[in-house]
Amino acid sequence: MDDTGAGTSDAATPHPHEPHDTSLSAKLNWLRAGVLGANDGIVSTAGLVVGVAAASTDSSAILTAGIAGLAAGAISMAVGEYVSVSTQRDSERALLSKEKRELAEEPDYELAELTGIYRAKGLSAETARQVAEELTAHDAFAAHAEAELGLDPHDLTNPWHAALSSAISFTVGAILPLIAILVPPTQWRVPVCFAAVLVALALTGSVSARMGGSNPRRAVLRVVLGGALAMAVTYGIGQLAGVAGI
């Protein structure tokens, strides 16, 4: 075995199991958004079907309300995400266009600016200048976009992907309370739905917290209490509506 080669490999990758992919943060953000979308689907649909079930035992009415809520919520989430990401993407493109124009018109100034950025990060003047020159020679536009704007010009967020992801995650979350309210016998519908929803919320809260590096207990407690409150309120409103014959 070549000890020198092994030593070089270990030095190059001191933490071989630690991911260093620059897109990892973006992927985690997408995953976290998916979990939160599913959480929204669970809570909003559960509140809707529990409220209808409190007012009526008609399965077709509950199913109709649940499907309508699922469709409306998924479309709303998709449209909202598309508009939000499109606006963000337009802003990013405008900044990148400005940066590309400045590189073409004032290359010396931009090189000095990039050098200053690396000086501010703690590099010596000589090293910062060398890094800036080498990065500029390799891909000036990408180097400035990353250092100045924190953007990868070749990997901007796709609004269509964001919209589809939100719609799917919401739908997946909404299916659970819909099944939980329709499958059990009439007298067990609401209790089973409550239990299933709270377990699902605890799971999504825990997953979301772990991805964000926060305390799972607090996240689970918040999301479970919020979901329970939402269902309790809609159940009470449904009962009042049923008694009033609305």
Side-chain angles (χ1 to χ4, degrees):
M1 179 182 293
D2 187 346
D3 293 338
T4 303
T8 302
S9 176
D10 291 343
T13 55
H15 304 288
H17 301 295
E18 182 178 332
H20 292 280
D21 186 352
T22 55
S23 64
L24 178 61
S25 178
K27 291 177 181 177
L28 287 177
N29 285 336
W30 278 113
L31 185 56
R32 191 177 300 116
V35 172
L36 294 177
N39 185 79
D40 288 342
I42 293 170
V43 174
S44 60
T45 305
L48 179 61
V49 296
V50 164
V52 175
S56 171
T57 58
D58 186 358
S59 296
S60 62
I62 298 173
L63 177 61
T64 300
I67 291 177
L70 185 157
I75 293 172
S76 176
M77 287 284 290
V79 171
E81 195 70 13
Y82 178 83
V83 171
S84 175
V85 173
S86 292
T87 301
Q88 176 186 338
R89 188 182 176 96
D90 290 343
S91 298
E92 290 173 349
R93 282 176 168 171
L95 289 172
L96 290 171
S97 295
K98 180 174 180 288
E99 190 62 37
K100 184 177 291 187
R101 185 175 63 253
E102 290 175 346
L103 279 169
E105 295 175 353
E106 301 176 291
D108 292 338
Y109 176 82
E110 290 297 307
L111 179 60
E113 187 176 32
L114 190 60
T115 301
I117 290 174
Y118 287 108
R119 283 280 288 135
K121 290 179 181 292
L123 298 182
S124 66
E126 183 179 351
T127 302
R129 180 73 179 190
Q130 182 180 354
V131 169
E133 288 177 346
E134 291 185 6
L135 289 175
T136 298
H138 175 68
D139 188 339
F141 181 49
H144 282 265
E146 180 181 358
E148 293 184 40
L149 308 175
L151 298 174
D152 181 350
H154 308 297
D155 189 28
L156 297 182
T157 305
N158 189 316
W160 288 107
H161 291 172
L164 183 61
S165 175
S166 294
I168 290 175
S169 62
F170 184 95
T171 300
V172 170
I175 289 174
L176 173 67
L178 194 54
I179 293 175
I181 201 75
L182 291 172
V183 171
T186 302
Q187 66 272 21
W188 287 101
R189 281 177 175 170
V190 173
V192 169
C193 187
F194 257 86
V197 166
L198 294 184
V199 169
L201 289 177
L203 179 61
T204 59
S206 177
V207 171
S208 179
R210 292 181 187 283
M211 286 191 298
S214 59
N215 189 324
R217 288 187 179 182
R218 293 179 182 177
V220 169
L221 184 62
R222 284 195 297 264
V223 73
V224 167
L225 288 179
L229 178 61
M231 288 188 289
V233 170
T234 56
Y235 180 79
I237 293 174
Q239 279 202 319
L240 291 175
V243 171
I246 298 176

